[in-house]
Amino acid sequence: MNDKYPFIPLQFDYTASDEQLIDKSKAFADLMKTRRTVRNFSSRVIPAEVLENILITAGSAPSGANMQPWFFAAVTDPEIKSAIRREAEKQEREFYNSKAPDEWLNDLAPLGTGDSKPFLEKAPCLIVIFEKKYGITESGEKKKFYYTKESVGLAAGFLVSALHNAGLACLTYTPSPMGFLNKILGRPDNEKPWMVIVTGFPEENTNVPDIKKKPLNEIAKFY
């Protein structure tokens, strides 16, 4: 610590009792266990302030050297959503008809996916996450960024959690390749499309696949 790089007091209160910690952690775990991927969305509009708060939350994620190597394009314009759907479905038809091996298609079968992606138009908002591979200084020179994939992954996790906490459903979507998103959204070459988060309110009486999450003893071990 020095005068050039000053520090400020920690803002969060970390003095909760063990009982309070247990209650809070259990409440959040129970909330997140109710999160499910949704592919059928209603046309109900999301208030702009809600989207702003969610993107602020995503932007609060930790990142390598605090470079914050992400950009979130929140798409609500119907024409842009239609353009994204057209280009995405071109990739999807190729994937399902020729690229995907049988094992992959068999693993996808219980989820009911296919090359048609109507949710890209129906959902009120598409949040396209871009990974900034490097920065650009005011003089036009490249600025090195660190651990960009890990950082963007953390921000995406914050984003999905914030959406569910706000009462919004979402779908994580990764067409391949995704370069068409740069062109449609006018994003620069140093930004690589990382994921599309489709979000909104589920249609009434929406059903989801009957799948289960692995129990704790299969995903973690205390040492």
Side-chain angles (χ1 to χ4, degrees):
M1 188 189 317
N2 54 46
D3 292 338
K4 185 177 180 181
Y5 302 108
F7 280 39
I8 60 173
L10 189 62
Q11 299 296 309
F12 189 78
D13 181 4
Y14 288 95
T15 61
S17 67
D18 287 356
E19 291 77 13
Q20 290 171 319
L21 291 174
I22 292 170
D23 289 345
K24 291 173 70 175
S25 62
K26 178 69 164 54
F28 189 71
D30 288 343
L31 171 67
M32 294 309 296
K33 283 191 293 186
T34 64
R35 190 210 63 80
R36 293 299 306 272
T37 293
V38 168
R39 290 180 170 81
N40 300 311
F41 292 88
S42 78
S43 57
R44 178 182 170 187
V45 175
I46 304 170
E49 188 173 356
V50 173
L51 290 173
E52 290 171 2
N53 291 332
I54 286 165
L55 294 175
I56 288 170
T57 301
S60 72
S63 62
N66 195 37
M67 292 293 102
Q68 303 168 61
W70 45 63
F71 184 84
F72 306 100
V75 182
T76 58
D77 184 282
E79 292 187 5
I80 299 177
K81 289 193 294 179
S82 294
I84 290 174
R85 179 185 179 183
R86 285 194 300 272
E87 292 302 316
E89 287 185 340
K90 288 181 184 178
Q91 309 296 341
E92 295 290 355
R93 284 191 291 271
E94 187 174 355
F95 170 79
Y96 279 93
N97 294 330
S98 61
K99 284 187 174 181
D102 290 340
E103 182 181 9
W104 195 344
L105 293 177
N106 290 335
D107 288 338
L108 288 173
L111 305 180
T113 63
D115 58 15
S116 178
K117 307 297 180 183
F119 50 76
L120 292 173
E121 286 188 280
K122 186 69 180 291
C125 183
L126 310 178
I127 302 174
V128 184
I129 304 174
F130 288 87
E131 171 195 359
K132 290 189 175 184
K133 305 296 290 184
Y134 54 89
I136 305 292
T137 66
E138 291 184 0
S139 61
E141 297 178 347
K142 289 185 177 181
K143 166 65 178 175
K144 184 175 177 60
F145 283 170
Y146 310 92
Y147 301 105
T148 57
K149 287 182 172 57
E150 295 86 346
S151 301
V152 175
L154 288 164
F158 275 43
L159 177 56
V160 170
S161 299
L163 288 168
H164 189 63
N165 181 66
L168 295 169
C170 73
L171 164 68
T172 55
Y173 177 55
T174 52
S176 180
M178 291 193 281
F180 66 88
L181 291 165
N182 287 77
K183 183 177 181 181
I184 291 175
L185 297 172
R187 302 310 306 166
D189 291 340
N190 65 316
E191 295 181 4
K192 179 181 179 180
W194 196 83
M195 180 177 289
V196 181
I197 305 289
V198 183
T199 188
F201 301 91
E203 283 185 343
E204 191 174 354
N205 300 319
T206 288
N207 292 319
V208 294
D210 185 12
I211 56 177
K212 307 296 182 185
K213 295 297 183 182
K214 294 178 180 178
L216 180 62
N217 68 333
E218 291 188 20
I219 65 169
K221 182 177 180 179
F222 293 90
Y223 291 87

